Amino acid sequence: ESTHLGDCPICLLPIPIPTSEETLAYSIYSCCSKVVCTGCGVANSLREVEERLPRRCPFCRTQSTEEEINLKEMKRVKANDPVAMYNMGMDRNKAGDYATAIEYWEKAAGLGWVESHYNLSGLYKGGQGVEKDIKKYIHTTKQAAIGGH
């Protein structure tokens, strides 16, 4: 049975819900905005290492520089792609820019990307970049749960 993340576009198996923050069961590739299961991502990486191939996306086989990836990501953000907005939020969150991360995640959540609701709930609960807000924490947690997270 599929989760809110859908099925892997390579192996067509349902992408499982991550059991913890450290064990993501999928990767989101910025070149094609595809959510690919960890198994297919690892298999692709092993193939590239064994055959001494350059790193490419396991789905579209695009080889991109960091600059190209960022340009594609911004283009998709401008086109209201919720996966791209989620990715930008993740990048901003890792950089400690919680206010911008919240903006991206709120937009992605509004477009239906459940992972954004889940991440927002953590920020509202811990007060990172925003005041602690139990009502918003409960709301975003419920939205994530309703969406299948």
Side-chain angles (χ1 to χ4, degrees):
E1 185 175 322
S2 290
T3 65
H4 67 281
L5 296 169
D7 298 337
C8 175
I10 298 172
C11 67
L12 305 178
L13 294 173
I15 296 177
I17 296 173
T19 55
S20 74
E21 299 254 344
E22 293 84 32
T23 58
L24 280 179
Y26 62 91
S27 294
I28 303 172
Y29 291 87
S30 60
C31 50
C32 58
S33 197
K34 294 292 182 182
V35 179
V36 176
C37 74
T38 299
C40 288
V42 169
N44 183 60
S45 294
L46 289 174
R47 182 185 62 79
E48 290 169 346
V49 168
E50 289 171 357
E51 298 177 21
R52 295 193 170 114
L53 299 171
R55 288 195 52 98
R56 296 177 185 256
C57 170
F59 182 78
C60 69
R61 301 289 185 212
T62 300
Q63 180 181 359
S64 302
T65 65
E66 196 67 34
E67 184 178 327
E68 291 172 325
I69 290 170
N70 291 337
L71 287 173
K72 289 177 186 177
E73 193 85 15
M74 284 309 299
K75 183 178 178 181
R76 288 197 346 269
V77 165
K78 289 177 184 173
N80 284 331
D81 179 349
V83 176
M85 290 179 188
Y86 172 79
N87 283 343
M88 290 299 287
M90 291 298 289
D91 292 344
R92 301 306 340 132
N93 188 52
K94 286 179 187 171
D97 184 1
Y98 301 116
T100 307
I102 289 169
E103 287 178 31
Y104 282 118
W105 286 339
E106 285 178 342
K107 289 177 186 175
L111 292 168
W113 191 251
V114 176
E115 295 295 314
S116 294
H117 285 292
Y118 180 74
N119 288 3
L120 284 168
S121 70
L123 293 181
Y124 287 127
K125 180 181 180 184
Q128 292 176 303
V130 292
E131 285 187 41
K132 284 187 180 184
D133 190 330
I134 298 302
K135 287 183 181 181
K136 285 186 178 181
Y137 163 69
I138 292 170
H139 174 74
T140 53
T141 302
K142 283 182 181 178
Q143 291 299 313
I146 289 168
H149 196 283

mmCIF file of all heavy atoms in Angstrom, residues 1-18 25-26 35-40:
data_model
loop_
_atom_site.group_PDB
_atom_site.id
_atom_site.type_symbol
_atom_site.label_atom_id
_atom_site.label_comp_id
_atom_site.label_asym_id
_atom_site.label_seq_id
_atom_site.Cartn_x
_atom_site.Cartn_y
_atom_site.Cartn_z
ATOM 1 N N GLU A 1 0.840 -1.175 0.000
ATOM 2 C CA GLU A 1 0.000 0.000 0.000
ATOM 3 C C GLU A 1 0.888 1.242 0.000
ATOM 4 O O GLU A 1 1.864 1.339 0.727
ATOM 5 C CB GLU A 1 -0.886 -0.010 1.243
ATOM 6 C CG GLU A 1 -1.863 1.116 1.249
ATOM 7 C CD GLU A 1 -2.813 1.017 2.440
ATOM 8 O OE1 GLU A 1 -3.215 -0.098 2.794
ATOM 9 O OE2 GLU A 1 -3.122 2.081 2.980
ATOM 10 N N SER A 2 0.567 2.207 -0.832
ATOM 11 C CA SER A 2 1.346 3.436 -0.962
ATOM 12 C C SER A 2 1.138 4.357 0.234
ATOM 13 O O SER A 2 0.101 4.346 0.871
ATOM 14 C CB SER A 2 0.953 4.184 -2.230
ATOM 15 O OG SER A 2 1.379 3.495 -3.357
ATOM 16 N N THR A 3 2.155 5.158 0.505
ATOM 17 C CA THR A 3 2.073 6.179 1.543
ATOM 18 C C THR A 3 1.838 7.518 0.857
ATOM 19 O O THR A 3 1.686 7.580 -0.363
ATOM 20 C CB THR A 3 3.389 6.251 2.345
ATOM 21 O OG1 THR A 3 4.424 6.698 1.456
ATOM 22 C CG2 THR A 3 3.760 4.910 2.931
ATOM 23 N N HIS A 4 1.858 8.588 1.636
ATOM 24 C CA HIS A 4 1.705 9.920 1.052
ATOM 25 C C HIS A 4 2.869 10.270 0.131
ATOM 26 O O HIS A 4 2.781 11.186 -0.669
ATOM 27 C CB HIS A 4 1.562 10.970 2.154
ATOM 28 C CG HIS A 4 2.798 11.143 2.971
ATOM 29 N ND1 HIS A 4 3.150 10.258 3.970
ATOM 30 C CD2 HIS A 4 3.768 12.071 2.922
ATOM 31 C CE1 HIS A 4 4.286 10.651 4.508
ATOM 32 N NE2 HIS A 4 4.681 11.745 3.894
ATOM 33 N N LEU A 5 3.963 9.528 0.229
ATOM 34 C CA LEU A 5 5.117 9.774 -0.622
ATOM 35 C C LEU A 5 4.975 9.118 -1.984
ATOM 36 O O LEU A 5 5.737 9.399 -2.895
ATOM 37 C CB LEU A 5 6.385 9.259 0.060
ATOM 38 C CG LEU A 5 6.758 9.954 1.366
ATOM 39 C CD1 LEU A 5 7.846 9.206 2.092
ATOM 40 C CD2 LEU A 5 7.171 11.388 1.086
ATOM 41 N N GLY A 6 4.007 8.216 -2.126
ATOM 42 C CA GLY A 6 3.785 7.543 -3.398
ATOM 43 C C GLY A 6 4.704 6.352 -3.579
ATOM 44 O O GLY A 6 5.269 5.807 -2.626
ATOM 45 N N ASP A 7 4.852 5.941 -4.815
ATOM 46 C CA ASP A 7 5.689 4.802 -5.163
ATOM 47 C C ASP A 7 6.983 5.295 -5.794
ATOM 48 O O ASP A 7 7.013 6.347 -6.445
ATOM 49 C CB ASP A 7 4.970 3.889 -6.156
ATOM 50 C CG ASP A 7 3.695 3.296 -5.589
ATOM 51 O OD1 ASP A 7 3.583 3.217 -4.350
ATOM 52 O OD2 ASP A 7 2.819 2.900 -6.379
ATOM 53 N N CYS A 8 8.038 4.518 -5.636
ATOM 54 C CA CYS A 8 9.310 4.833 -6.277
ATOM 55 C C CYS A 8 9.099 4.721 -7.788
ATOM 56 O O CYS A 8 8.577 3.717 -8.264
ATOM 57 C CB CYS A 8 10.394 3.865 -5.812
ATOM 58 S SG CYS A 8 11.969 4.088 -6.679
ATOM 59 N N PRO A 9 9.506 5.734 -8.570
ATOM 60 C CA PRO A 9 9.293 5.670 -10.014
ATOM 61 C C PRO A 9 10.209 4.679 -10.726
ATOM 62 O O PRO A 9 10.018 4.408 -11.903
ATOM 63 C CB PRO A 9 9.572 7.107 -10.474
ATOM 64 C CG PRO A 9 10.505 7.640 -9.450
ATOM 65 C CD PRO A 9 10.109 6.984 -8.159
ATOM 66 N N ILE A 10 11.173 4.103 -10.000
ATOM 67 C CA ILE A 10 12.095 3.151 -10.621
ATOM 68 C C ILE A 10 11.658 1.716 -10.347
ATOM 69 O O ILE A 10 11.416 0.944 -11.265
ATOM 70 C CB ILE A 10 13.538 3.396 -10.128
ATOM 71 C CG1 ILE A 10 13.983 4.806 -10.536
ATOM 72 C CG2 ILE A 10 14.494 2.337 -10.690
ATOM 73 C CD1 ILE A 10 15.295 5.244 -9.953
ATOM 74 N N CYS A 11 11.513 1.353 -9.069
ATOM 75 C CA CYS A 11 11.152 -0.029 -8.725
ATOM 76 C C CYS A 11 9.648 -0.219 -8.544
ATOM 77 O O CYS A 11 9.173 -1.337 -8.441
ATOM 78 C CB CYS A 11 11.891 -0.483 -7.472
ATOM 79 S SG CYS A 11 11.396 0.393 -5.962
ATOM 80 N N LEU A 12 8.911 0.900 -8.472
ATOM 81 C CA LEU A 12 7.451 0.910 -8.327
ATOM 82 C C LEU A 12 6.954 0.357 -6.995
ATOM 83 O O LEU A 12 5.767 0.050 -6.863
ATOM 84 C CB LEU A 12 6.780 0.180 -9.498
ATOM 85 C CG LEU A 12 7.155 0.707 -10.886
ATOM 86 C CD1 LEU A 12 6.472 -0.110 -11.960
ATOM 87 C CD2 LEU A 12 6.822 2.178 -11.026
ATOM 88 N N LEU A 13 7.844 0.246 -6.015
ATOM 89 C CA LEU A 13 7.442 -0.169 -4.677
ATOM 90 C C LEU A 13 7.037 1.057 -3.869
ATOM 91 O O LEU A 13 7.554 2.156 -4.096
ATOM 92 C CB LEU A 13 8.577 -0.904 -3.971
ATOM 93 C CG LEU A 13 8.972 -2.250 -4.568
ATOM 94 C CD1 LEU A 13 10.215 -2.794 -3.874
ATOM 95 C CD2 LEU A 13 7.828 -3.238 -4.471
ATOM 96 N N PRO A 14 6.111 0.892 -2.921
ATOM 97 C CA PRO A 14 5.730 2.035 -2.082
ATOM 98 C C PRO A 14 6.927 2.550 -1.285
ATOM 99 O O PRO A 14 7.722 1.770 -0.775
ATOM 100 C CB PRO A 14 4.672 1.466 -1.136
ATOM 101 C CG PRO A 14 4.203 0.211 -1.777
ATOM 102 C CD PRO A 14 5.353 -0.310 -2.594
ATOM 103 N N ILE A 15 7.047 3.860 -1.204
ATOM 104 C CA ILE A 15 8.118 4.471 -0.415
ATOM 105 C C ILE A 15 7.646 4.490 1.026
ATOM 106 O O ILE A 15 6.611 5.078 1.335
ATOM 107 C CB ILE A 15 8.450 5.881 -0.917
ATOM 108 C CG1 ILE A 15 8.993 5.779 -2.341
ATOM 109 C CG2 ILE A 15 9.440 6.566 0.016
ATOM 110 C CD1 ILE A 15 9.290 7.095 -2.998
ATOM 111 N N PRO A 16 8.376 3.820 1.923
ATOM 112 C CA PRO A 16 7.926 3.754 3.315
ATOM 113 C C PRO A 16 8.082 5.080 4.042
ATOM 114 O O PRO A 16 8.894 5.919 3.666
ATOM 115 C CB PRO A 16 8.836 2.691 3.930
ATOM 116 C CG PRO A 16 10.058 2.697 3.074
ATOM 117 C CD PRO A 16 9.617 3.102 1.700
ATOM 118 N N ILE A 17 7.295 5.236 5.079
ATOM 119 C CA ILE A 17 7.403 6.414 5.935
ATOM 120 C C ILE A 17 8.671 6.268 6.762
ATOM 121 O O ILE A 17 8.929 5.208 7.329
ATOM 122 C CB ILE A 17 6.175 6.528 6.860
ATOM 123 C CG1 ILE A 17 4.923 6.752 6.008
ATOM 124 C CG2 ILE A 17 6.356 7.653 7.862
ATOM 125 C CD1 ILE A 17 3.644 6.712 6.793
ATOM 126 N N PRO A 18 9.499 7.316 6.840
ATOM 127 C CA PRO A 18 10.715 7.227 7.642
ATOM 128 C C PRO A 18 10.386 6.948 9.107
ATOM 129 O O PRO A 18 9.419 7.490 9.643
ATOM 130 C CB PRO A 18 11.357 8.600 7.489
ATOM 131 C CG PRO A 18 10.667 9.255 6.356
ATOM 132 C CD PRO A 18 9.341 8.601 6.193
ATOM 133 N N ALA A 25 13.922 7.179 4.138
ATOM 134 C CA ALA A 25 13.678 6.053 3.257
ATOM 135 C C ALA A 25 13.613 6.489 1.798
ATOM 136 O O ALA A 25 13.226 5.718 0.942
ATOM 137 C CB ALA A 25 12.387 5.353 3.666
ATOM 138 N N TYR A 26 13.986 7.723 1.528
ATOM 139 C CA TYR A 26 13.889 8.230 0.165
ATOM 140 C C TYR A 26 14.813 9.422 -0.020
ATOM 141 O O TYR A 26 15.331 9.976 0.926
ATOM 142 C CB TYR A 26 12.452 8.665 -0.143
ATOM 143 C CG TYR A 26 11.970 9.786 0.745
ATOM 144 C CD1 TYR A 26 12.136 11.111 0.375
ATOM 145 C CD2 TYR A 26 11.383 9.531 1.979
ATOM 146 C CE1 TYR A 26 11.718 12.148 1.195
ATOM 147 C CE2 TYR A 26 10.960 10.556 2.795
ATOM 148 C CZ TYR A 26 11.135 11.863 2.404
ATOM 149 O OH TYR A 26 10.722 12.884 3.212
ATOM 150 N N VAL A 35 10.811 11.619 -6.226
ATOM 151 C CA VAL A 35 11.087 11.010 -4.934
ATOM 152 C C VAL A 35 11.447 9.562 -5.225
ATOM 153 O O VAL A 35 10.623 8.800 -5.732
ATOM 154 C CB VAL A 35 9.859 11.099 -4.007
ATOM 155 C CG1 VAL A 35 10.155 10.437 -2.677
ATOM 156 C CG2 VAL A 35 9.448 12.546 -3.808
ATOM 157 N N VAL A 36 12.697 9.175 -4.927
ATOM 158 C CA VAL A 36 13.211 7.845 -5.236
ATOM 159 C C VAL A 36 13.553 7.138 -3.932
ATOM 160 O O VAL A 36 14.144 7.739 -3.033
ATOM 161 C CB VAL A 36 14.458 7.941 -6.148
ATOM 162 C CG1 VAL A 36 15.061 6.586 -6.415
ATOM 163 C CG2 VAL A 36 14.102 8.633 -7.462
ATOM 164 N N CYS A 37 13.201 5.858 -3.831
ATOM 165 C CA CYS A 37 13.479 5.115 -2.596
ATOM 166 C C CYS A 37 14.987 4.964 -2.386
ATOM 167 O O CYS A 37 15.775 5.019 -3.331
ATOM 168 C CB CYS A 37 12.791 3.749 -2.617
ATOM 169 S SG CYS A 37 13.534 2.521 -3.698
ATOM 170 N N THR A 38 15.380 4.777 -1.148
ATOM 171 C CA THR A 38 16.792 4.662 -0.803
ATOM 172 C C THR A 38 17.437 3.475 -1.509
ATOM 173 O O THR A 38 18.575 3.560 -1.955
ATOM 174 C CB THR A 38 16.956 4.532 0.729
ATOM 175 O OG1 THR A 38 16.431 5.716 1.318
ATOM 176 C CG2 THR A 38 18.402 4.371 1.127
ATOM 177 N N GLY A 39 16.700 2.383 -1.647
ATOM 178 C CA GLY A 39 17.245 1.190 -2.315
ATOM 179 C C GLY A 39 17.684 1.489 -3.732
ATOM 180 O O GLY A 39 18.784 1.107 -4.151
ATOM 181 N N CYS A 40 16.846 2.179 -4.492
ATOM 182 C CA CYS A 40 17.194 2.522 -5.877
ATOM 183 C C CYS A 40 18.332 3.535 -5.916
ATOM 184 O O CYS A 40 19.199 3.464 -6.790
ATOM 185 C CB CYS A 40 15.967 3.043 -6.613
ATOM 186 S SG CYS A 40 14.756 1.744 -6.970
#
